[in-house]
Amino acid sequence: MNVNQQTPMASPYGPPQPGYGQPSYAPLGGSYPGPYGPYSGPATAYQPGASPQGYSPYASFPSKAVAANPVSDLSSPLDLGPARGPPTSAPRPVSTPQAYSQYPQGDSQNGPPPMDHSMAQPAHRSPVSQPYSQGAMNLSGPHPSYSQQYGAPPPMQQVTNQMSGMQIGSGPPTSVGPGYAHHPSSQPPISAAYSSAAPPSYTQAPPPLSAAPSQPPPPSEPAAPQPYYGGPPPPQQQPFPSAHHLSQPFVSSSPYLGPPPPSQPQAPPVSQQQSFPPGPSAQQPFPNSAPPPVSQASYSGPPPPTQHSFPPSSQSGPFPPISIPPAQYPGPQSPSQPGPPPFHSGPSPRGPIPPPSMSQQQANHLPPGPMQQQHPPQPGMQGGYPTQQNGAFGQPRGPQPGYAGPQYSGQQNYGAGPAPAPAPPAQKRLDPDSIPSPIQVIEDDRVNKSSEPFTTGVKGQAPPLVTTNFQVKDQGNASPRFIRCTAYNMPCTADMAKQSQVPLAAVIKPLAMLPPDETPPYIVDHGDGGPIRCNRCKAYMCPYMQFIEGGRRFQCGFCSCVTEVPPHYFQHLDHTGKRVDCYDRPELSQGSYEFVATVDYCKNNKLPQPPSFIFFIDVSYNAVKSGMVNIVCQELKALLDYLPRENPEADSVVRVGFVTYNKVLHFYNVKSSLAQPQMMVVSDVSDMFLPLLDGFLVSVNDSRMVIESLLDQIPEMFADTRETETVFGPVIQAGLEALKAADCAGKLFVFHSTLPIAEAPGKLKNREDKKLVGTDKEKSLFQPQSGFYSNLSKECVAQGCCVDLFLFPNQYVDVATLGVVPVSTGGSVYKYTYFQAETDRERFLNDLRRDVQKPMGFDAVMRVRTSTGIRATDFFGSFFMSNTTDVELAGLDCDKTVTVEFRHDDKLSEDTGALMQCAVLYTSCSGQRRLRVHNMAVNCCSQLADLYRNCETDTIINFFSKYAYRSILNTPTKTVRDTMVNQCAQILACYRKNCASPSSAGQLILPECMKLLPVYLNCVLKSDVLQPGADVSLDDRAYLRQLLSCMDVSESHIFFYPRLLPLVKLDGGSLPMAVRNSEERLSKGGVYLLETGLHLFLWVGANAQQELLSNIFGTPTFSQIDPNMTSLPELDNPFSQRLREIIDSFRSQRSRYMKLMVVKQEDKAELIFKHFLCEDKSTSGGPSYVDFLCHMHKEIRQLLS
């Protein structure tokens, strides 16, 4: 019978194997097909999910196979695999197997990753002679009989357990991600070559939710502490012996995941649907399809076992390692050939091969259950793998990378000799190690791209990831520190862009700070004539302008208009048509540079005044009592020496002013000629005016004594205040009036504590209503209460008045409304809820120092020009727009980004590519008017495969999150989440349909560069803004929504997928390798550092070694650690010093100071810590990564069917 064919896998389990009585599984969410008929023949090749012969996995794809009758696998709702009747003895039709084997470029199929994987996979294909078809193989041929006898399938519960346990077995993650490789276990490939399970893997249906997770791992077996979780398993243990170490990444095009082995119930119903058998095609030899290009990973899934691949169960030895290099795991091997078994991660079972342990299998390809045909649980397996639950602590899991974990019985020793074959255990859920791992992708990029400088001269090449430390050499395109694009190959037509649904956007950070080893943009001064520009479109001179007629004219690269070169700018051309002074002029050879602007670029045609900073301090009862007033006044005395300046040697020209307020405003005259400051009170806040001109805005050096006297007196003056009410609108109006009077731009620093309920313009009421959360009216809570602040912000932008708001609330303050002015003026909002001087002082002062000192521009206008064929249509960030093209920013600092979305308005040409130029006109902190220009050229493509080969997932997620967070202003959050899932599914379904080699629908195939799209998107969907827990306040959600709107890609990456570091050995200058964000990666004996971009958590396991605790905390016992400490003791040992260096270095990389929180295992604070373990289920109902992946696969199958 064809192993490949699988019963419809609605359930993840494959059809019963011969001999299996069909157990009736409860449908996991989907109904299972009726009992499976008896198995008639060996199912060696059974791939669950494999498509019937001739079946073209995606009907829509032109599949290579000739599908005789295409049955749509996709049809089954949860089926990971095609739905099929029980296998009959006749050979299963070959699905035409699509040549799964070929790996489409970029995709990761389930099967073994294709060679091309960029990961480090061996380049050569595994020797397996079988043609690996990289997809699932169809084992239509005779399947080798494994001697697997399938017993009755385990009962569902058991299965579940096993599934959960499966994970454990996972083999080392592939390079791509853990879990990508198959393991070569001796098990017969279950379901054909694994392939079936081929990882549709990823695809595989998620374990039933309840299943794996539901059962907690047996307490008894704590996971062995692996040296460190999350990493790939130690090489030596690679589970798949042959698999070549998972190291090879899943092919990224990875289709990952096969369904869990049948026995396990795995996928959650959603996912279930896919049993994902791997594509049947495996049958065809790999050869059939060309090997996938390296680049893409097409993970086809484990090679089908050749028929022989798994030795009959009888053989106990492990399978020979698959020779296929991991990288290439094409698909399962063709059944006919004997080959190593598909990769299973688990031990090689004998006898009925147990499905590889889930994790292993998954790891490999994760063919989930279905792939494994359900064999009766193997005897060792079940026992051997402890059940593991998502998030359960201490569950044993397969060795993690880097850890040598205990071997579970039933699991083969990776790489070791044959292991006895256990009975196939019921598998548990999809193994997390078999699905794409962010940690592995980040690590591979770091290894491959951090050694050589990234040169920007090659058009359309994607830069290293934001997590990689690399040097940039500007050779004509802007550095990725200034501009990152979602796609570096733009589709030539609007139809192609619409078909792929990949967003076309750029995240621009115009004033980004560069590392010390990179040269900041050069400043070019063309004198009174000003910058050279195109006569028609007004684009500035840049490397894309083509000089003609001997250098007397130039043709614009944006609009093709020909413009005369001014006589003073003329230069001869060399034999290549370039100006001979090309490399002497930054605007002709660099991607980023600045022009000194002439008076024509200034407001009212007059040069600007230096900017001013005005500090507004709330002196109401709550502000004084919390200690905020005293801290601000003491700190400002020191901070005034650090006002921004361009020349570090010179004094800052920024002038300063001071105001205190509660229900009324107190202005201070700090003129240098006064012996003591003078206070002027304005109590008529309904009609704000400035009571003094001379003496309000002063130079710090001139008035230092008076200013210091004032700052000493303010805390004393208001120490006994009983005034609890505050105003807010008049505060902004006062600052605006002061800047108008001084005829300059500037920034207001407002330190505010309560909801402004005093009678005054901008008065607010408490509208917090938790009952609206989750309803259609929830969106009103994110909109401002009135139009007052929106109108006020327009006036501020016109004057160049930027507002930074520091909030110290003890209750609701309506951040959605108070934040309107900061967000519209290019400012920032900082929030310190329940501020306590002793614990929050350090965080607040560091934020304030950075905010005062950081380089910034004032009164800025930004415009993005593009070449013919595309145009900028939408903008996201902290700014104001009075028309459709100009982004107006009263202030623009080095941390702010503006995200721009592009749409087609004509066809693009592959020959010329697409160009964009971002020009920002601003006033520097020294009062000079400047133009900063950033240029970016990308390629254009007419083939979808080229588009999918050159995308950047981190930037796509940055764009998606900003789009979603803005959408909740007008759309219910559930609708926003559904829209995001649908768009992501369309992106991946288009890839599968048009770029991936054909394979079973049971396989989830992902483009190499987007294999992390599902895990990151799930983090966005589960975030507090879109799916809040019961304890998340409306103010916090509004604050995070505003904060994300101007984040750059590196900050949004850590915000959605925090960095979790095991603190094992901190030798040398390198960081320990991070582990995945899941509770099951934590060891009770370890200590972990978690960085979220806004917080730092130090999690201490209950069984942490005494030496470790002594080195960090100075105490050897867990119980003596103070959970309230916010800084680590400075101990005289290398470990303590290195840990504090790491924490300082993390803080220096972020725009906000991250307060340290010590979290002891099983302490109350652990709930907060677990909230950031984003691969686990969230308390607010967000799915785990495994479950979401299965759900995504189901959505993709529905689109394809």
Side-chain angles (χ1 to χ4, degrees):
M1 100 178 245
N2 237 320
V3 164
N4 276 340
Q5 59 189 84
Q6 189 160 323
T7 49
M9 280 202 74
S11 67
Y13 319 23
Q17 310 281 312
Y20 258 140
Q22 297 264 232
S24 32
Y25 296 93
L28 281 181
S31 45
Y32 291 102
Y36 303 97
Y39 166 108
S40 356
T44 39
Y46 169 68
Q47 308 202 344
S51 330
Q53 299 185 294
Y55 159 110
S56 158
Y58 328 108
S60 45
F61 292 143
S63 77
K64 313 198 162 169
V66 179
N69 3 276
V71 170
S72 161
D73 260 35
L74 303 177
S75 55
S76 10
L78 281 174
D79 230 302
L80 288 180
R84 305 187 167 67
T88 56
S89 39
R92 141 195 210 129
V94 169
S95 42
T96 357
Q98 338 238 280
Y100 193 15
S101 51
Q102 37 193 108
Y103 306 161
Q105 216 128 25
D107 21 87
S108 21
Q109 300 199 181
N110 289 322
M115 207 157 153
D116 58 281
H117 225 175
S118 54
M119 304 217 8
Q121 312 165 53
H124 57 270
R125 236 208 227 71
S126 74
V128 188
S129 55
Q130 45 198 70
Y132 220 171
S133 77
Q134 101 177 36
M137 53 190 308
N138 199 35
L139 306 155
S140 49
H143 299 51
S145 34
Y146 303 137
S147 35
Q148 9 187 105
Q149 1 203 299
Y150 298 92
M156 177 90 145
Q157 171 68 27
Q158 190 172 350
V159 172
T160 324
N161 294 333
Q162 301 196 294
M163 285 165 79
S164 14
M166 295 292 310
Q167 310 199 167
I168 289 183
S170 78
T174 21
S175 67
V176 164
Y180 281 135
H182 313 28
H183 12 135
S185 41
S186 51
Q187 339 185 172
I190 294 266
S191 92
Y194 238 173
S195 76
S196 77
S201 72
Y202 266 162
T203 231
Q204 102 177 34
L209 295 173
S210 54
S214 61
Q215 19 193 143
S220 55
E221 30 205 322
Q226 331 208 275
Y228 63 98
Y229 303 87
Q236 68 269 46
Q237 339 203 114
Q238 306 220 206
F240 327 87
S242 92
H244 301 121
H245 317 93
L246 298 167
S247 71
Q248 86 184 61
F250 233 7
V251 175
S252 139
S253 36
S254 347
Y256 326 89
L257 322 131
S263 51
Q264 22 194 129
Q266 57 195 89
V270 168
S271 46
Q272 225 156 174
Q273 68 174 83
Q274 353 194 105
S275 327
F276 302 129
S281 45
Q283 211 164 226
Q284 1 182 126
F286 194 164
N288 236 2
S289 10
V294 173
S295 64
Q296 71 196 75
S298 48
Y299 189 172
S300 40
T306 78
Q307 294 291 249
H308 322 93
S309 250
F310 295 121
S313 30
S314 57
Q315 65 186 72
S316 59
F319 297 119
I322 300 199
S323 43
I324 295 176
Q328 39 203 51
Y329 291 0
Q333 322 181 329
S334 59
S336 55
Q337 16 206 111
F343 304 106
H344 301 145
S345 320
S348 14
R350 28 144 119 318
I353 287 88
S357 79
M358 189 80 174
S359 70
Q360 314 192 302
Q361 19 188 90
Q362 314 216 280
N364 301 305
H365 291 121
L366 275 178
M371 74 178 293
Q372 317 275 215
Q373 6 219 302
Q374 340 205 203
H375 316 60
Q378 304 201 324
M381 214 134 168
Q382 202 153 337
Y385 296 81
T387 52
Q388 171 155 347
Q389 212 168 312
N390 192 8
F393 209 179
Q395 309 172 151
R397 85 182 275 100
Q400 312 243 320
Y403 276 108
Q407 297 262 275
Y408 297 93
S409 60
Q411 193 170 298
Q412 63 182 57
N413 236 357
Y414 296 134
Q427 306 243 251
K428 294 182 173 180
R429 66 194 188 104
L430 182 61
D431 173 22
D433 272 346
S434 56
I435 56 185
S437 161
I439 304 305
Q440 195 64 50
V441 172
I442 289 168
E443 185 65 14
D444 290 338
D445 189 81
R446 187 185 65 76
V447 170
N448 298 331
K449 299 185 179 178
S450 62
S451 53
E452 293 295 318
F454 174 74
T455 54
T456 67
V458 181
K459 184 170 76 173
Q461 75 174 331
L465 299 180
V466 289
T467 47
T468 296
N469 194 5
F470 61 100
Q471 184 185 13
V472 180
K473 291 198 173 170
D474 186 340
Q475 295 185 352
N477 276 318
S479 161
R481 306 194 201 285
F482 294 123
I483 302 182
R484 276 189 180 262
C485 300
T486 54
Y488 288 85
N489 260 339
M490 282 220 173
C492 283
T493 65
D495 288 344
M496 186 173 160
K498 184 176 179 182
Q499 181 183 7
S500 73
Q501 288 289 310
V502 174
L504 303 178
V507 178
I508 306 172
K509 192 175 182 181
L511 302 185
M513 295 285 287
L514 300 181
D517 59 348
E518 293 178 23
T519 308
Y522 290 99
I523 298 176
V524 180
D525 188 351
H526 284 311
D528 295 341
I532 312 299
R533 307 177 70 174
C534 166
N535 275 346
R536 182 197 290 160
C537 71
K538 303 299 181 189
Y540 295 91
M541 179 56 65
C542 67
Y544 316 137
M545 302 300 189
Q546 181 66 43
F547 287 86
I548 55 177
E549 299 179 18
R552 288 186 295 276
R553 308 171 85 190
F554 69 88
Q555 183 172 27
C556 177
F558 295 88
C559 69
S560 301
C561 175
V562 175
T563 301
E564 294 284 339
V565 174
H568 70 87
Y569 196 68
F570 173 79
Q571 185 53 273
H572 295 286
L573 307 184
D574 63 14
H575 64 284
T576 64
K578 278 189 175 180
R579 286 173 53 124
V580 296
D581 64 350
C582 171
Y583 294 104
D584 297 328
R585 291 190 175 272
E587 72 274 22
L588 299 181
S589 58
Q590 304 272 298
S592 302
Y593 42 87
E594 288 199 336
F595 291 117
V596 174
T598 58
V599 71
D600 301 331
Y601 291 86
C602 302
K603 247 186 209 168
N604 305 323
N605 286 333
K606 63 180 186 181
L607 295 173
Q609 296 289 323
S612 299
F613 283 2
I614 308 177
F615 299 89
F616 289 86
I617 306 169
D618 175 354
V619 289
S620 64
Y621 176 77
N622 283 336
V624 173
K625 193 178 92 170
S626 69
M628 179 272 281
V629 174
N630 188 48
I631 291 173
V632 169
C633 292
Q634 293 308 310
E635 180 63 22
L636 285 180
K637 288 193 289 185
L639 260 184
L640 296 177
D641 288 327
Y642 297 97
L643 295 174
R645 67 204 72 201
E646 290 190 272
N647 179 359
E649 306 301 318
D651 291 332
S652 175
V653 294
V654 174
R655 290 180 296 166
V656 297
F658 302 88
V659 178
T660 56
Y661 68 95
N662 41 45
K663 274 202 309 192
V664 297
L665 276 73
H666 320 106
F667 292 80
Y668 296 93
N669 183 344
V670 284
K671 195 167 168 183
S672 58
S673 58
L674 297 174
Q676 285 293 321
Q678 295 175 347
M679 175 198 283
M680 297 188 183
V681 179
V682 175
S683 54
D684 181 7
V685 292
S686 60
D687 184 16
M688 200 67 219
F689 67 96
L690 188 66
L692 75 166
L693 292 177
D694 188 30
F696 179 63
L697 292 177
V698 298
S699 159
V700 174
N701 284 347
D702 294 345
S703 302
R704 182 178 298 279
M705 298 302 294
V706 188
I707 291 173
E708 291 193 355
S709 173
L710 168 66
L711 294 173
D712 285 334
Q713 292 177 41
I714 288 175
E716 298 169 12
M717 278 193 288
F718 299 98
D720 301 322
T721 183
R722 286 289 173 266
E723 183 56 72
T724 58
E725 294 186 357
T726 57
V727 295
F728 187 72
V731 172
I732 309 297
Q733 290 174 328
L736 178 59
E737 292 300 321
L739 295 179
K740 282 181 178 176
D743 193 23
C744 67
K747 189 184 219 180
L748 312 184
F749 295 82
V750 183
F751 304 93
H752 189 80
S753 64
T754 58
L755 189 70
I757 56 173
E759 282 302 326
K763 172 185 175 180
L764 301 178
K765 64 179 189 293
N766 189 334
R767 57 172 180 163
E768 184 176 29
D769 187 355
K770 286 280 184 118
K771 293 195 288 294
L772 296 183
V773 175
T775 68
D776 287 354
K777 293 183 179 177
E778 180 182 21
K779 60 192 178 193
S780 66
L781 301 174
F782 293 105
Q783 298 165 354
Q785 284 191 32
S786 70
F788 174 82
Y789 290 102
S790 299
N791 294 328
L792 181 57
S793 61
K794 277 186 203 174
E795 295 181 51
C796 288
V797 171
Q799 181 57 40
C801 171
C802 174
V803 179
D804 277 358
L805 176 59
F806 292 80
L807 288 170
F808 304 85
N810 289 333
Q811 55 193 0
Y812 180 73
V813 291
D814 200 352
V815 175
T817 303
L818 296 186
V820 168
V821 176
V823 167
S824 303
T825 59
S828 307
V829 178
Y830 296 84
K831 185 166 175 283
Y832 309 91
T833 309
Y834 303 119
F835 179 81
Q836 291 181 305
E838 59 278 9
T839 56
D840 297 306
R841 174 192 182 101
E842 188 181 13
R843 175 177 160 227
F844 163 56
L845 292 182
N846 276 279
D847 284 343
L848 177 59
R849 287 167 192 154
R850 179 181 166 88
D851 197 52
V852 169
Q853 298 174 35
K854 65 187 173 186
M856 67 176 296
F858 298 89
D859 206 5
V861 181
M862 175 177 129
R863 182 174 285 191
V864 177
R865 293 179 174 84
T866 54
S867 54
T868 307
I870 56 168
R871 60 193 171 88
T873 58
D874 206 353
F875 300 84
F876 302 80
S878 292
F879 52 75
F880 177 76
M881 293 188 75
S882 55
N883 57 40
T884 58
T885 57
D886 295 336
V887 175
E888 299 174 50
L889 303 116
L892 174 63
D893 63 51
C894 59
D895 298 322
K896 294 290 185 301
T897 65
V898 176
T899 301
V900 186
E901 184 179 15
F902 301 99
R903 297 267 166 101
H904 287 77
D905 55 12
D906 201 349
K907 285 188 176 176
L908 294 171
S909 156
E910 287 190 80
D911 300 330
T912 57
L915 309 177
M916 66 187 84
Q917 183 180 79
C918 165
V920 182
L921 176 64
Y922 70 97
T923 300
S924 71
C925 55
S926 61
Q928 188 177 41
R929 202 68 175 151
R930 303 250 183 94
L931 264 162
R932 178 166 289 202
V933 180
H934 296 296
N935 301 288
M936 175 64 76
V938 297
N939 287 326
C940 292
C941 59
S942 56
Q943 299 296 319
L944 284 166
D946 293 329
L947 165 63
Y948 283 100
R949 190 175 295 118
N950 229 0
C951 291
E952 200 192 23
T953 301
D954 290 319
T955 311
I956 290 173
I957 289 295
N958 180 283
F959 172 80
F960 274 165
S961 60
K962 290 174 180 175
Y963 183 86
Y965 281 19
R966 187 179 68 181
S967 299
I968 63 171
L969 291 174
N970 308 300
T971 312
T973 51
K974 183 177 187 309
T975 306
V976 173
R977 291 198 306 268
D978 292 345
T979 301
M980 302 307 294
V981 170
N982 185 52
Q983 183 167 359
C984 180
Q986 287 185 326
I987 291 171
L988 300 177
C990 175
Y991 175 80
R992 169 97 193 225
K993 179 176 179 179
N994 300 287
C995 309
S997 33
S999 63
S1000 149
Q1003 285 177 291
L1004 173 59
I1005 300 184
L1006 304 175
E1008 172 66 32
C1009 64
M1010 288 191 195
K1011 63 188 173 198
L1012 299 181
L1013 188 60
V1015 61
Y1016 289 162
L1017 181 68
N1018 188 36
C1019 295
V1020 174
L1021 301 179
K1022 292 197 296 184
S1023 63
D1024 289 336
V1025 176
L1026 297 180
Q1027 193 165 11
D1031 56 340
V1032 181
S1033 70
L1034 290 170
D1035 274 347
D1036 281 333
R1037 296 176 67 196
Y1039 165 69
L1040 293 174
R1041 195 189 76 77
Q1042 294 169 357
L1043 181 62
L1044 184 97
S1045 69
C1046 47
M1047 271 189 188
D1048 69 5
V1049 181
S1050 61
E1051 299 220 302
S1052 64
H1053 174 272
I1054 200 86
F1055 179 75
F1056 289 116
Y1057 194 91
R1059 172 159 56 168
L1060 181 61
L1061 292 184
L1063 302 180
V1064 189
K1065 291 183 180 175
L1066 299 183
D1067 306 332
S1070 61
L1071 291 174
M1073 185 167 156
V1075 297
R1076 293 172 64 173
N1077 281 344
S1078 173
E1079 189 178 348
E1080 60 194 25
R1081 307 285 170 167
L1082 302 176
S1083 158
K1084 284 190 174 185
V1087 177
Y1088 296 79
L1089 184 65
L1090 180 79
E1091 179 199 8
T1092 71
L1094 297 178
H1095 312 88
L1096 280 173
F1097 294 94
L1098 189 66
W1099 183 91
V1100 186
N1103 299 338
Q1105 302 168 0
Q1106 291 186 2
E1107 182 185 7
L1108 192 58
L1109 298 182
S1110 295
N1111 283 341
I1112 299 174
F1113 303 103
T1115 174
T1117 59
F1118 178 78
S1119 60
Q1120 291 176 349
I1121 296 170
D1122 177 11
N1124 299 315
M1125 67 170 66
T1126 55
S1127 61
L1128 296 178
E1130 296 188 12
L1131 304 176
D1132 188 16
N1133 67 73
F1135 194 97
S1136 173
Q1137 290 167 0
R1138 178 64 184 138
L1139 176 56
R1140 283 180 283 114
E1141 284 172 10
I1142 290 173
I1143 289 173
D1144 290 343
S1145 119
F1146 282 5
R1147 285 171 171 162
S1148 68
Q1149 295 167 26
R1150 307 291 166 213
S1151 62
R1152 309 260 167 150
Y1153 184 85
M1154 297 181 291
K1155 177 180 169 182
L1156 179 69
M1157 224 175 130
V1158 174
V1159 178
K1160 295 167 71 173
Q1161 186 182 345
E1162 292 167 12
D1163 201 13
K1164 287 179 294 187
E1166 197 180 25
L1167 286 175
I1168 303 173
F1169 170 79
K1170 288 181 181 178
H1171 177 74
F1172 295 100
L1173 299 180
C1174 57
E1175 288 197 25
D1176 295 338
K1177 278 190 208 171
S1178 68
T1179 52
S1180 56
S1184 66
Y1185 173 21
V1186 169
D1187 296 342
F1188 183 73
L1189 194 60
C1190 295
H1191 174 65
M1192 184 58 63
H1193 185 253
K1194 171 185 170 187
E1195 295 286 324
I1196 293 169
R1197 292 181 61 158
Q1198 287 177 341
L1199 290 171
L1200 294 176
S1201 60

